[in-house]
Every structure is written in C-alpha cells, then in structure tokens.
C-alpha cells in the first residue's frame, strides 16, 4: 500500500507539472512581444470618440476590451459600433431558432451585447452575410462615410484588410472599406468641419498561436498582418457575458478552439492592435 501511495503521489506531481508546462506553453503562443500594454486605447491616444466598423454580430467580441475599457478610463468617452450584416448565414451553436429567422436573432444579440458593453450608438446593416465583397464598394463606402458624419470618431477600430483577423472575406472587405474612407477623408479634410479619425486601430490575432494551431487559414492570417503596437488586458467577465447574450453562438469558442471560453481567455488574455496615426502618413 505504501508503494502504491508513493506511486500515486509521484504520478500526481508529474501530471500537475505536465499540465502546468502545457498551460504556460500554450499561453506563450498568445503573447506578442512587439505590443506595449496599455489600460485603454482612448486614454493612451488621448481620444474620446471611438467607432468600430465590423462585419458580423459577435465580431465585437474580438474588440470587447476597447469598448469596455473606454468607459472605465473615461465615462464621457463616446463609443459607436457598425455591423454590416445580420449574420443570417451563420451556423447555430447551439440551435436556438429557425434558421430562416437567424438574422433577426443575431441582430438582436448584437444590439443587446453592445448595450451590455456600454456602447452608446449602434447600427446593424442588412448586407448579405458572406456576400459583403459582392456589394459595390462605393455603396459600402458611402454607408461608412455617413457613420463618420454621425459619430465623428477620433479612433476607428476595424479589421486589417489583408487578414481580417480570421481570414473571413467579409472581415477583409469591411476593413478595406473603413480604411479607404478614413484615408480619403483625411486627405480631403481641409474643407470639412470634422477632420476624420486620427487613428486606425486594427485588431490583430496572435501570430504564433495561429501559425501553430490554426492550420492553413491560421497560416494565411499570421503571414498577412503586421506586428501589433498595443495590447489591452482581456475583459473576461464581459466577454463571457457576451457569449451568453449571443445565444445562437454560445458554444462557438468550444466548437472552434476545443476548450470552454473561460479556459481560452485564461490563455488568450490580451487583445492586440496595430495602431496607425493618419497624421503621420
């Protein structure tokens, strides 16, 4: 019995040690040495108006900390979010509604989560899910221009056009449209009362993690995005609440990454951004 007890103790120690080594190895894949950690983007960039331009309901989960910490650092910071589609082509995980009504459900989820994150103004457009690149680009640009006029952001948060954070074609197109509008606005700002956003903050996904664990899509994303300049700690409670609100996507993290969301956010514990100062372009 003593020998068995000793064996079990040694086995337990080795198992715990192995799990600890595995955890810290995984966590190292989700770090970016080039990024300087800040509490909030608006505080670090001395800005008080933020607009996010994205493609699908639940995309805001990738940039949750930007919006939540904007209010924590300065309650007077104005935040707005544009979502180009209602996500009607998505897969339900779990199934919570008739598929033909999924767009209605996901639009409501996006609006509810935006409210929970403290976003002041929010729009969910009606462009086709997975069909954004087929929409005339000038039409999309006019819509984004109208959002600039309405919300007058100093910081634009969007996808890096070459990678879209996940490789999704809708993400890449909305990042391209938002970027072109911001740059054109800045170029033509002399005759405008609003000079356009000074900064574009592109959400960047962890390169080593996507290269190691993401297959061909992960490799594409990692090889087509810049090194991040800024990082923010993850607002885990808000993100977990967000997945509860996005009930039709509530098991997305488990399905996509193979682990519960709470565990993922212990490993992927930061958001990363590549920030461009348009006044220095």
């Amino acid at each position: 019995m003593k020998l068995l007890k000793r064996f079990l103790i040694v086995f337990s120690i080795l198992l715990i040690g192995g799990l600890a080594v595995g955890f810290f190895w995984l966590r190292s894949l989700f770090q970016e040495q080039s990024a300087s950690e800040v509490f909030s983007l608006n505080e670090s960039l001395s800005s008080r108006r933020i607009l996010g331009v994205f493609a699908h309901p639940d995309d805001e989960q990738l940039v949750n900390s930007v919006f939540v910490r904007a209010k924590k650092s300065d309650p007077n910071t104005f935040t707005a979010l544009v979502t180009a589609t209602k996500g009607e082509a998505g897969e339900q995980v779990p199934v919570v509604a008739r598929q033909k009504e999924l767009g209605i459900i996901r639009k409501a989820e996006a609006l509810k989560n935006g409210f929970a994150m403290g976003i002041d103004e929010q729009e969910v457009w009606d462009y086709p899910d997975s069909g954004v690149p087929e929409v005339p680009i000038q039409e999309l640009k006019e819509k984004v221009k109208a959002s600039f006029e309405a919300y007058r952001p100093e910081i634009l948060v969007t996808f890096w056009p070459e990678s879209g954070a996940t490789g999704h074609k809708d993400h890449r197109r909305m990042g391209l449209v938002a970027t072109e509008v911001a740059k054109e606005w800045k170029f033509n700002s002399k005759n405008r009362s609003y000079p356009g956003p000074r900064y574009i903050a592109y959400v960047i996904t962890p390169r080593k993690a996507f290269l190691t664990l993401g297959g061909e899509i992960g490799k594409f994303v990692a090889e087509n995005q810049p090194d991040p300049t800024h990082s923010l700690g993850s607002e885990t409670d808000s993100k977990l609440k967000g997945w509860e609100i996005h009930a039709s996507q509530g098991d997305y993290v488990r399905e996509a990454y193979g682990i519960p969301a709470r565990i993922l956010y212990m490993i992927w514990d930061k958001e990363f951004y590549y920030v461009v100062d348009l006044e220095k372009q």
Side-chain angles (χ1 to χ4, degrees), residues 4 23 35 61 79-80 82 92 106 116 124 190-191 210 240:
L4 177 60
F23 173 82
Q61 287 286 81
T79 57
V82 162
Q92 299 184 58
R106 294 194 69 190
V124 180
K190 290 182 179 180
N191 297 321
F210 273 56
L240 292 175

Side-chain angles (χ1 to χ4, degrees), residues 15-198:
L15 179 61
I16 292 169
L19 289 173
V21 169
F23 173 82
F24 285 108
W25 174 76
L26 274 175
R27 194 169 181 274
S28 72
L29 298 179
F30 288 84
Q31 307 302 311
E32 291 283 353
Q33 298 303 317
S34 64
S36 298
E37 186 164 359
V38 299
F39 179 77
S40 70
L41 278 182
N42 52 303
E43 183 178 67
S44 67
L45 299 176
S46 301
S47 302
R48 296 180 64 182
R49 300 185 71 85
I50 301 174
L51 170 64
V53 175
F54 293 95
H56 308 112
D58 78 23
D59 284 350
E60 78 278 358
Q61 287 286 81
L62 286 169
V63 296
N64 182 290
S65 293
V66 167
F67 290 99
V68 172
R69 290 193 171 194
K71 295 294 188 180
K72 285 186 175 181
S73 64
D74 182 354
N76 293 316
T77 298
F78 174 83
T79 57
L81 177 65
V82 162
T83 304
T85 80
K86 296 187 294 186
E88 71 279 359
E91 179 183 353
Q92 299 184 58
V93 282
V95 176
V96 300
R98 290 174 287 271
Q99 187 68 25
K100 65 181 181 180
E101 294 163 356
L102 182 59
I104 300 170
I105 299 297
R106 294 194 69 190
K107 177 179 179 178
E109 290 170 350
L111 294 171
K112 186 176 179 181
N113 193 36
F115 177 78
M117 290 164 58
I119 294 173
D120 295 299
E121 296 288 345
Q122 197 169 351
E123 299 177 21
V124 180
W125 297 344
D126 198 26
Y127 289 111
D129 185 9
S130 295
V132 175
E134 282 68 58
V135 178
I137 193 167
Q138 194 57 39
E139 179 180 338
L140 291 170
K141 288 169 74 170
E142 291 301 321
K143 289 280 285 187
V144 173
K145 286 178 185 178
S147 297
F148 279 25
E149 289 278 13
Y151 305 128
R152 305 169 76 87
E154 297 169 7
I155 302 173
L156 168 66
V157 186
T158 192
F159 293 115
W160 180 249
E162 299 301 318
S163 66
T166 67
H168 198 295
K169 61 182 182 179
D170 287 354
H171 293 189
R172 294 159 62 191
R173 178 49 60 100
M174 290 310 298
L176 175 65
V177 168
T179 297
E180 289 191 359
V181 171
K183 290 182 175 180
E184 289 169 8
W185 197 294
K186 211 69 182 175
F187 181 78
N188 297 309
S189 64
K190 290 182 179 180
N191 297 321
R192 299 179 186 268
S193 60
Y194 162 60
R198 174 169 178 176

